[in-house]
Amino acid sequence: MANTYDKNDVVLEVRDLTKHYPIKKGLLGKAAAYVHALEGVSFDVHRGETFAIVGESGCGKSTTGKCVLRLVEPTSGTVTLDGEDFTALSGEALTRARQKMKLIFQDPYSSLNPRMTVSDIIAEPIDIAHTYKTRAERDARVEQVMQAVGLDLTYKYRYPHEFSGGQRQRIGIARAIVLEPELVVCDEPVSALDVSVQAKVINLLGELQEQYGLAYIFISHDLSVVKHIADTVMVMYLGHTMELAPKQELFDNPLHPYTQALLDVIPKIGHERIQDKKILEGDVPSPTNPPKGCCFHTRCPHCMKICCERVPEMHEVGPEHTCACHLFDKDLSEEDRTPVAINAAVAADL
Ligand code: SF4
């Protein structure tokens, strides 16, 4: 479902986004430690683009989405929406800017108010924003959006419990687009749905994107879904960006050892068994005590001495393709390149 979009038409600019959650202890509630959820993440999203963020659970992908929407306040960094510094806004200006960015939740079961009718759920954002002057205009907009997402108009006065998971997700999508946002953050929007329903919801997102020129930040742990829907993919691990590339380039030519390991475990079409897969050794380290140097070094089969000491920069490794790995650092000494066994690297961290 990859799209063509204007690479000069940037809707969202994220720069050095960082989020540290304090772990408070004692009577005074002083911060005893911090969860390093997000570390200096930067990317652009273009109008009409689907920008996917992938990685294992706890990698920071959902925190990125929440910080972009300011559902949680970032510790530092900027989010610029349509040229306006969204992170600096407050009061009415923030409420107005929020109309341009919406969220589709992961769980269509718990994200809809069970006491509200479908019509009121979908209309809630326009009711809050007071977008329409008359009830008739508001109802007409609700009906227009219901039709756009494939919901029968006879469902208007029904309640969420009367619907299947796929239909509930359509209601959630209708609510997200009713204000005609520029960007929608889709946080694992199909992971709670049956596989047969997933494809329908993904196709619907594609149709809406084409119709309204929407940009999506598509957060997912499922690379098969991402392969279908994304234009650009950012791979995250322990709050850091590991690799960023156009979708086809990333799947054809993954260069970061973590991306390679992630892609290795996707079943290939026509192969019943996953062949030659390299399963990652060890667990993801704790974000309260992340490893020094490259945060992936405790699990990386290519770990070198420098990897345990210095955080790698993002290196340009191809057209629009960047990768945070010392393997692409041309200025390393022979000593820097000394191989380190993974177990030894883990031991050095303990
Ligand atoms: Fe592996 Fe070193 Fe690259 Fe990190 S910087 S991914 S440890 S080779």
Side-chain angles (χ1 to χ4, degrees), residues 36-56:
H36 297 247
L38 211 54
E39 292 287 359
V41 169
S42 300
F43 58 91
D44 291 343
V45 184
H46 304 82
R47 207 170 303 280
E49 179 184 13
T50 300
F51 183 91
I53 307 180
V54 301
E56 295 166 288

mmCIF file of all heavy atoms in Angstrom, residues 36-56:
data_model
loop_
_atom_site.group_PDB
_atom_site.id
_atom_site.type_symbol
_atom_site.label_atom_id
_atom_site.label_comp_id
_atom_site.label_asym_id
_atom_site.label_seq_id
_atom_site.Cartn_x
_atom_site.Cartn_y
_atom_site.Cartn_z
ATOM 1 N N HIS A 36 14.724 5.467 31.134
ATOM 2 C CA HIS A 36 15.132 6.147 29.892
ATOM 3 C C HIS A 36 14.273 5.611 28.743
ATOM 4 O O HIS A 36 14.669 4.717 28.014
ATOM 5 C CB HIS A 36 16.615 5.903 29.624
ATOM 6 C CG HIS A 36 17.493 6.472 30.698
ATOM 7 N ND1 HIS A 36 18.343 7.526 30.482
ATOM 8 C CD2 HIS A 36 17.628 6.149 32.008
ATOM 9 C CE1 HIS A 36 18.969 7.833 31.607
ATOM 10 N NE2 HIS A 36 18.546 7.000 32.549
ATOM 11 N N ALA A 37 13.069 6.173 28.626
ATOM 12 C CA ALA A 37 12.105 5.628 27.658
ATOM 13 C C ALA A 37 12.402 6.052 26.228
ATOM 14 O O ALA A 37 12.122 5.313 25.284
ATOM 15 C CB ALA A 37 10.693 6.057 28.039
ATOM 16 N N LEU A 38 12.977 7.232 26.076
ATOM 17 C CA LEU A 38 13.210 7.787 24.734
ATOM 18 C C LEU A 38 14.472 8.636 24.780
ATOM 19 O O LEU A 38 14.622 9.457 25.676
ATOM 20 C CB LEU A 38 12.003 8.685 24.391
ATOM 21 C CG LEU A 38 11.566 8.840 22.953
ATOM 22 C CD1 LEU A 38 11.314 7.484 22.334
ATOM 23 C CD2 LEU A 38 10.273 9.653 22.913
ATOM 24 N N GLU A 39 15.373 8.420 23.794
ATOM 25 C CA GLU A 39 16.664 9.125 23.826
ATOM 26 C C GLU A 39 16.954 9.782 22.484
ATOM 27 O O GLU A 39 17.364 9.116 21.531
ATOM 28 C CB GLU A 39 17.796 8.140 24.138
ATOM 29 C CG GLU A 39 17.789 7.556 25.546
ATOM 30 C CD GLU A 39 18.222 8.558 26.618
ATOM 31 O OE1 GLU A 39 18.548 9.714 26.275
ATOM 32 O OE2 GLU A 39 18.223 8.170 27.796
ATOM 33 N N GLY A 40 16.655 11.065 22.379
ATOM 34 C CA GLY A 40 17.091 11.849 21.208
ATOM 35 C C GLY A 40 16.596 11.344 19.870
ATOM 36 O O GLY A 40 17.381 11.226 18.930
ATOM 37 N N VAL A 41 15.295 11.081 19.777
ATOM 38 C CA VAL A 41 14.741 10.542 18.532
ATOM 39 C C VAL A 41 14.371 11.690 17.584
ATOM 40 O O VAL A 41 13.740 12.661 17.997
ATOM 41 C CB VAL A 41 13.504 9.661 18.849
ATOM 42 C CG1 VAL A 41 12.735 9.310 17.592
ATOM 43 C CG2 VAL A 41 13.953 8.404 19.578
ATOM 44 N N SER A 42 14.785 11.581 16.320
ATOM 45 C CA SER A 42 14.506 12.618 15.305
ATOM 46 C C SER A 42 13.984 11.971 14.031
ATOM 47 O O SER A 42 14.514 10.940 13.604
ATOM 48 C CB SER A 42 15.780 13.391 14.949
ATOM 49 O OG SER A 42 16.313 14.029 16.080
ATOM 50 N N PHE A 43 12.947 12.566 13.454
ATOM 51 C CA PHE A 43 12.448 12.095 12.156
ATOM 52 C C PHE A 43 11.476 13.123 11.579
ATOM 53 O O PHE A 43 11.024 14.025 12.292
ATOM 54 C CB PHE A 43 11.762 10.722 12.274
ATOM 55 C CG PHE A 43 10.593 10.672 13.230
ATOM 56 C CD1 PHE A 43 9.298 10.912 12.788
ATOM 57 C CD2 PHE A 43 10.786 10.372 14.576
ATOM 58 C CE1 PHE A 43 8.218 10.856 13.662
ATOM 59 C CE2 PHE A 43 9.710 10.324 15.461
ATOM 60 C CZ PHE A 43 8.420 10.562 15.009
ATOM 61 N N ASP A 44 11.184 12.990 10.280
ATOM 62 C CA ASP A 44 10.184 13.831 9.606
ATOM 63 C C ASP A 44 9.058 12.938 9.083
ATOM 64 O O ASP A 44 9.318 11.807 8.675
ATOM 65 C CB ASP A 44 10.793 14.531 8.376
ATOM 66 C CG ASP A 44 11.808 15.600 8.767
ATOM 67 O OD1 ASP A 44 11.811 16.027 9.936
ATOM 68 O OD2 ASP A 44 12.594 15.995 7.884
ATOM 69 N N VAL A 45 7.847 13.480 9.088
ATOM 70 C CA VAL A 45 6.727 12.791 8.435
ATOM 71 C C VAL A 45 6.144 13.740 7.395
ATOM 72 O O VAL A 45 5.920 14.924 7.676
ATOM 73 C CB VAL A 45 5.635 12.385 9.452
ATOM 74 C CG1 VAL A 45 4.532 11.593 8.757
ATOM 75 C CG2 VAL A 45 6.213 11.570 10.609
ATOM 76 N N HIS A 46 5.931 13.214 6.181
ATOM 77 C CA HIS A 46 5.435 14.036 5.067
ATOM 78 C C HIS A 46 3.938 13.823 4.872
ATOM 79 O O HIS A 46 3.401 12.772 5.238
ATOM 80 C CB HIS A 46 6.175 13.660 3.777
ATOM 81 C CG HIS A 46 7.665 13.769 3.904
ATOM 82 N ND1 HIS A 46 8.427 12.768 4.468
ATOM 83 C CD2 HIS A 46 8.510 14.765 3.567
ATOM 84 C CE1 HIS A 46 9.698 13.145 4.462
ATOM 85 N NE2 HIS A 46 9.778 14.356 3.931
ATOM 86 N N ARG A 47 3.306 14.843 4.248
ATOM 87 C CA ARG A 47 1.868 14.734 3.969
ATOM 88 C C ARG A 47 1.618 13.509 3.092
ATOM 89 O O ARG A 47 2.320 13.294 2.104
ATOM 90 C CB ARG A 47 1.406 16.001 3.230
ATOM 91 C CG ARG A 47 -0.042 16.340 3.427
ATOM 92 C CD ARG A 47 -0.356 17.718 2.865
ATOM 93 N NE ARG A 47 0.471 18.763 3.449
ATOM 94 C CZ ARG A 47 0.257 19.329 4.642
ATOM 95 N NH1 ARG A 47 -0.773 18.966 5.357
ATOM 96 N NH2 ARG A 47 1.077 20.260 5.103
ATOM 97 N N GLY A 48 0.659 12.689 3.506
ATOM 98 C CA GLY A 48 0.304 11.504 2.725
ATOM 99 C C GLY A 48 1.216 10.316 2.939
ATOM 100 O O GLY A 48 1.054 9.274 2.299
ATOM 101 N N GLU A 49 2.172 10.438 3.846
ATOM 102 C CA GLU A 49 3.136 9.349 4.094
ATOM 103 C C GLU A 49 2.691 8.465 5.265
ATOM 104 O O GLU A 49 2.079 8.951 6.217
ATOM 105 C CB GLU A 49 4.512 9.972 4.448
ATOM 106 C CG GLU A 49 5.587 8.930 4.754
ATOM 107 C CD GLU A 49 6.921 9.555 5.190
ATOM 108 O OE1 GLU A 49 6.959 10.768 5.493
ATOM 109 O OE2 GLU A 49 7.913 8.808 5.216
ATOM 110 N N THR A 50 3.003 7.192 5.181
ATOM 111 C CA THR A 50 2.842 6.310 6.346
ATOM 112 C C THR A 50 4.233 6.034 6.899
ATOM 113 O O THR A 50 5.051 5.371 6.252
ATOM 114 C CB THR A 50 2.147 4.987 5.963
ATOM 115 O OG1 THR A 50 0.868 5.303 5.440
ATOM 116 C CG2 THR A 50 1.981 4.092 7.190
ATOM 117 N N PHE A 51 4.477 6.575 8.077
ATOM 118 C CA PHE A 51 5.790 6.469 8.724
ATOM 119 C C PHE A 51 5.645 5.421 9.837
ATOM 120 O O PHE A 51 4.951 5.647 10.820
ATOM 121 C CB PHE A 51 6.175 7.832 9.295
ATOM 122 C CG PHE A 51 7.544 7.860 9.914
ATOM 123 C CD1 PHE A 51 8.651 8.211 9.159
ATOM 124 C CD2 PHE A 51 7.720 7.524 11.246
ATOM 125 C CE1 PHE A 51 9.921 8.230 9.728
ATOM 126 C CE2 PHE A 51 8.979 7.548 11.818
ATOM 127 C CZ PHE A 51 10.080 7.894 11.057
ATOM 128 N N ALA A 52 6.263 4.280 9.646
ATOM 129 C CA ALA A 52 6.100 3.197 10.626
ATOM 130 C C ALA A 52 7.230 3.223 11.656
ATOM 131 O O ALA A 52 8.389 3.488 11.310
ATOM 132 C CB ALA A 52 6.087 1.855 9.909
ATOM 133 N N ILE A 53 6.870 2.968 12.907
ATOM 134 C CA ILE A 53 7.870 2.816 13.974
ATOM 135 C C ILE A 53 7.748 1.385 14.487
ATOM 136 O O ILE A 53 6.665 0.968 14.909
ATOM 137 C CB ILE A 53 7.628 3.809 15.125
ATOM 138 C CG1 ILE A 53 7.538 5.247 14.602
ATOM 139 C CG2 ILE A 53 8.733 3.692 16.167
ATOM 140 C CD1 ILE A 53 7.309 6.295 15.689
ATOM 141 N N VAL A 54 8.850 0.640 14.399
ATOM 142 C CA VAL A 54 8.804 -0.775 14.791
ATOM 143 C C VAL A 54 9.858 -1.080 15.850
ATOM 144 O O VAL A 54 10.852 -0.362 15.990
ATOM 145 C CB VAL A 54 9.017 -1.721 13.576
ATOM 146 C CG1 VAL A 54 7.972 -1.487 12.513
ATOM 147 C CG2 VAL A 54 10.400 -1.570 12.994
ATOM 148 N N GLY A 55 9.622 -2.165 16.535
ATOM 149 C CA GLY A 55 10.562 -2.626 17.557
ATOM 150 C C GLY A 55 9.809 -3.478 18.557
ATOM 151 O O GLY A 55 8.580 -3.544 18.540
ATOM 152 N N GLU A 56 10.592 -4.144 19.426
ATOM 153 C CA GLU A 56 9.971 -5.014 20.432
ATOM 154 C C GLU A 56 9.251 -4.165 21.469
ATOM 155 O O GLU A 56 9.479 -2.961 21.571
ATOM 156 C CB GLU A 56 11.063 -5.836 21.136
ATOM 157 C CG GLU A 56 11.774 -6.810 20.229
ATOM 158 C CD GLU A 56 13.053 -7.335 20.869
ATOM 159 O OE1 GLU A 56 14.031 -6.573 20.981
ATOM 160 O OE2 GLU A 56 13.067 -8.501 21.265
#
